Amino acid sequence: MVVEVKNLTKRFADFTAVDNISFSMGKGEIVGFLGPNGAGKTTTIHMLLDLITPSGGEISIFGKDFRKHREEILQQMNFASPYVSLPYRLTVFENLMVFACIYNIEHPKKRIEELLEMFEIADLQDEPAGTLSSGQNTRVGLCKSLLNKPKLLLLDEPTASLDPEISHHVREILLRIREQENTSILYTSHNMAETENICDRIVFLNHGKIIADGTPIEITKAILNEERNEPALEEVFFRVIKDTKTI
Ligand SMILES: Nc1ncnc2c1ncn2[C@@H]1O[C@H](COP(=O)(O)OP(=O)(O)O)[C@@H](O)[C@H]1O
Ligand SMILES: [Mg+2]
């Protein structure tokens, strides 16, 4: 397994944001991490990056204890979220060069140019990061997340600020990278159609707990509690919210 999480918990004072969750991810698997706002998705991702310390539980990545092999593991991972902004005075190229140095990338200039081409933002390389639109900033963040050819990629709402055409292009890139490099990808999104389209498996979180784990069609049948031939994650989402409110 690439990721194995056991009984992971995060408490902020007396509030439990992530409540005793266990899940795993296989090599080359794209797992959708779904759930309403406040479900605990970002908190979990931040624990998988060691940005915050768990209150309890265990994380193993690439078969190794994350706490004991932190640096070695983080070298082979990466992360993107449109809510992270880059140092605004540095140009796009300079920003990516800083990360390329941190990750010790060979031939950094070539790798940066390749990624900027891939995301169709080569013309922005000399622009200061502070002048970018949110969609452009998101694409620079995605370039950053692929610099080190990560074996595990954590993407927190990567398409949230992208128009449908660019968002489709990004998903095609991710599928191609998974095909070529067997990258495992944890993916959060509030767009259920795109989640059905790209994810092999869904882990559904609500109030910090995992309420379902399976393929999109398995999740649909389990939560709607009826026979279906096609996944219907949007219906699943509304059902989860409705049931939560009536409890
Ligand atoms: N640093 C923090 N201090 C206190 N509460 C937090 C903190 N970070 C997140 N939370 C709370 O934890 C819950 C889960 O948040 P989050 O993981 O960001 O949800 P999601 O990404 O699923 O929308 C929310 O209720 C949020 O307010
Ligand atoms: Mg979040």
Side-chain angles (χ1 to χ4, degrees):
M1 280 296 152
V2 169
V3 176
E4 260 192 292
V5 165
K6 279 192 197 138
N7 307 113
L8 190 65
T9 297
K10 180 66 190 180
R11 283 183 288 272
F12 295 109
D14 58 357
F15 174 74
T16 305
V18 175
D19 195 356
N20 203 26
I21 65 169
S22 302
F23 68 94
S24 58
M25 287 176 66
K27 202 166 183 183
E29 200 175 20
I30 305 186
V31 175
F33 213 38
L34 297 190
N37 288 323
K41 305 178 296 293
T42 299
T43 304
T44 305
I45 288 178
H46 286 175
M47 289 191 277
L48 291 174
L49 290 161
D50 200 32
L51 293 174
I52 57 172
T53 309
S55 312
E58 285 155 39
I59 299 172
S60 135
I61 300 179
F62 310 131
K64 292 180 177 166
D65 183 336
F66 189 32
R67 257 175 306 182
K68 290 195 191 124
H69 302 270
R70 180 183 178 278
E71 270 182 45
E72 175 192 341
I73 291 170
L74 286 172
Q75 275 285 339
Q76 302 176 70
M77 289 174 61
N78 216 317
F79 163 73
S81 163
Y83 306 113
V84 175
S85 46
L86 298 163
Y88 64 94
R89 279 181 207 259
L90 297 184
T91 66
V92 166
F93 186 85
E94 287 164 346
N95 263 293
L96 292 171
M97 190 52 102
V98 169
F99 285 104
C101 290
I102 292 172
Y103 282 102
N104 233 338
I105 310 293
E106 270 179 49
H107 311 298
K109 188 168 182 289
K110 182 166 162 278
R111 179 72 182 143
I112 291 168
E113 282 167 359
E114 193 177 281
L115 287 163
L116 289 170
E117 286 291 333
M118 195 187 285
F119 285 92
E120 297 173 358
I121 48 171
D123 54 333
L124 296 179
Q125 64 169 314
D126 297 324
E127 297 291 327
T131 65
L132 302 181
S133 72
S134 60
Q136 291 167 339
N137 182 62
T138 299
R139 281 187 278 169
V140 176
L142 285 162
C143 289
K144 174 246 142 193
S145 79
L146 294 170
L147 273 172
N148 62 331
K149 300 196 173 170
K151 287 203 239 161
L152 173 62
L153 184 57
L154 309 179
L155 300 176
D156 200 2
E157 302 187 35
T159 54
S161 57
L162 301 179
D163 73 41
E165 196 257 333
I166 297 171
S167 168
H168 180 254
H169 180 59
V170 166
R171 287 197 301 282
E172 281 183 339
I173 294 172
L174 295 175
L175 286 169
R176 196 166 68 229
I177 286 168
R178 185 265 292 271
E179 203 63 37
Q180 289 168 351
E181 320 213 359
N182 227 358
T183 314
S184 306
I185 306 176
L186 186 66
Y187 189 97
T188 85
S189 168
H190 288 297
N191 182 329
M192 296 300 129
E194 87 173 32
T195 309
E196 275 168 17
N197 171 274
I198 194 177
C199 296
D200 306 308
R201 194 156 59 81
I202 306 290
V203 173
F204 211 115
L205 218 60
N206 196 21
H207 293 297
K209 292 192 169 71
I210 292 177
I211 55 163
D213 181 341
T215 61
I217 185 78
E218 283 166 359
I219 298 262
T220 303
K221 288 181 191 170
I223 302 224
L224 299 180
N225 196 20
E226 57 189 50
E227 208 38 55
R228 290 288 180 113
N229 299 321
E230 298 284 333
L233 292 179
E234 191 147 305
E235 262 183 82
V236 166
F237 199 93
F238 287 126
R239 180 71 62 87
V240 169
I241 308 265
K242 188 165 151 263
D243 289 353
T244 311
K245 283 191 176 144
T246 55
I247 287 169

